[in-house]
Amino acid sequence: MEMPPLAAIRVFESAARHLSFTRAAVELGMTQAGVSYQIKILEERLGGALFQRLPRELKLTRLGARLAGPTNEAFELLRTTYTPPEGRRGTLAISSMISLAGNWLSQRLGHFQMAHPQLAVRLESSDSIVDFMHDDIDVAIRTGDGDWPSLTSDFVMPYTFAPLLSPRLMESIDLRHPEDLLKLPILDPQDPNWACWMADAGVAFDPVAQKAWPALGAQVNEARVALAGRGVALLTPRFFRFELATGALVQPFPHVGKARKSVWLVYPSWSRNRPAIRDFRQFLLDEVAREDAEMAAFSASTRTTP
């Protein structure tokens, strides 16, 4: 089959990205009727509907969804190729997990902004899935196995966890062995990582036998409860270095569990050559490497100190 008209493909890319003929018309400087006409031409050429036209919304059909990703990728590559270098680094919208954003990334993002003053950086804290086709987000930081269809994923750091609690709560019992933690309130005992950590420590752990706690949804919320002395939270020590350094939280046992999932930087494959994304990726890797070196040095000093 011959290549469909490029004008019709261009209109389809915009309409699929916005899920709106009206917004596509505004973006392309056309009338809504002109957008509908170009879509009709493409649908006739392909022999199938690209959109399901509902009273108040527009949805992609199975054929439209199959074509939307590659088409958007191709046009994004063209936009990147033909945009002058000085115009390629305007904005970078980042979506990050709530706990990582609040307890790790936000403290470092200022350094990245200072190093790239020409770039407008915006951080959104969310654990929700990002739809890069429709959400105004350039990159996302999420946990997973790194396998997301049509997306590029770069490993950032392992997802680790260890029990942390307040000094006051720790002093309330004779806490010498991991099994002694069971004498204290365990926050979110249904978290499967608790069973993993306890198993590594040689402790028989039954989540059902623990006092029920509401699922707080994010480490930053569990940390607040732990800081108040209300229970033991399973947290990522890297995210709470300040609380550990100041003694607000205590890690009573050195073992740190490692989840099957890791932390990844995720973005659409078609934007992998954007300078802003490449710079942010390198910034994250440099920050993690520097922090790993600091934590290793601190750990070595505590082992050698009499």
Side-chain angles (χ1 to χ4, degrees):
M1 184 181 72
E2 294 183 1
M3 179 81 171
L6 186 58
I9 298 175
R10 179 168 174 257
V11 170
F12 167 66
E13 188 276 334
S14 180
R17 180 159 35 86
H18 293 298
L19 285 181
S20 168
F21 286 0
T22 301
R23 293 176 64 186
V26 172
E27 180 178 81
L28 300 174
M30 302 173 61
T31 64
Q32 186 172 346
V35 169
S36 297
Y37 176 71
Q38 291 295 333
I39 295 297
K40 182 179 179 182
I41 290 176
L42 189 57
E43 289 177 331
E44 290 177 350
R45 178 66 67 90
L46 296 172
L50 296 170
F51 294 97
Q52 184 180 4
R53 297 158 176 82
L54 302 174
R56 295 184 178 274
E57 62 180 329
L58 197 67
K59 287 187 176 181
L60 288 166
T61 63
R62 183 176 299 180
L63 174 62
R66 179 172 64 84
L67 297 176
T71 303
N72 185 270
E73 181 174 352
F75 273 87
E76 184 64 29
L77 179 60
L78 289 172
R79 281 189 284 265
T80 301
T81 301
Y82 285 96
T83 300
E86 62 274 13
R88 293 179 187 172
R89 307 168 67 92
T91 62
L92 184 67
I94 306 163
S95 174
S96 172
M97 300 177 301
I98 295 172
S99 294
L100 186 142
N103 288 73
W104 193 84
L105 182 58
S106 60
Q107 305 165 18
R108 294 163 170 78
L109 206 54
H111 297 300
F112 178 76
Q113 180 71 86
M114 291 176 63
H116 303 85
Q118 77 286 7
L119 192 64
V121 180
R122 186 180 85 249
L123 175 63
E124 293 188 5
S125 302
S126 174
D127 293 332
S128 301
I129 296 174
V130 173
D131 182 352
F132 288 105
M133 285 287 291
H134 304 117
D135 296 341
D136 186 20
I137 294 295
D138 297 305
V139 296
I141 303 176
R142 292 293 185 271
T143 57
D145 57 10
D147 184 16
W148 288 279
S150 302
L151 300 178
T152 295
S153 52
D154 298 317
F155 175 82
V156 176
M157 65 178 78
Y159 187 79
T160 58
F161 48 85
L164 304 185
L165 70 163
S166 71
R168 183 180 64 180
L169 184 61
M170 188 176 72
E171 292 169 359
S172 67
I173 66 169
D174 186 15
L175 185 58
R176 297 186 181 184
H177 307 287
E179 56 265 28
D180 294 331
L181 290 170
L182 300 179
K183 303 173 185 177
L184 300 171
I186 300 294
L187 301 182
D188 194 7
Q190 303 301 323
D191 182 345
N193 288 326
W194 264 118
C196 293
W197 191 91
M198 290 292 189
D200 289 345
V203 179
F205 181 74
D206 181 8
V208 178
Q210 303 301 312
K211 180 181 177 181
W213 278 90
L216 299 176
Q219 286 195 27
V220 64
N221 297 330
E222 294 178 3
R224 292 192 181 103
V225 179
L227 285 165
R230 300 296 180 85
V232 185
L234 196 66
L235 305 174
T236 299
R238 184 192 296 271
F239 297 167
F240 299 93
R241 291 184 64 196
F242 176 79
E243 289 81 0
L244 289 169
T246 59
L249 288 175
V250 179
Q251 181 181 336
F253 304 105
H255 173 67
V256 177
K258 186 175 181 180
R260 293 181 180 179
K261 297 181 179 181
S262 300
V263 179
W264 301 81
L265 178 68
V266 186
Y267 46 91
S269 299
W270 63 76
S271 63
R272 60 184 176 273
N273 291 321
R274 276 190 60 192
I277 292 179
R278 292 204 305 264
D279 290 344
F280 184 64
R281 171 185 177 275
Q282 191 59 52
F283 164 77
L284 288 179
L285 296 179
D286 290 345
E287 284 293 306
V288 171
R290 179 182 60 79
E291 189 173 60
D292 284 344
E294 291 176 354
M295 291 191 298
F298 177 78
S299 178
S301 66
T302 56
R303 289 196 301 268
T304 57
T305 300

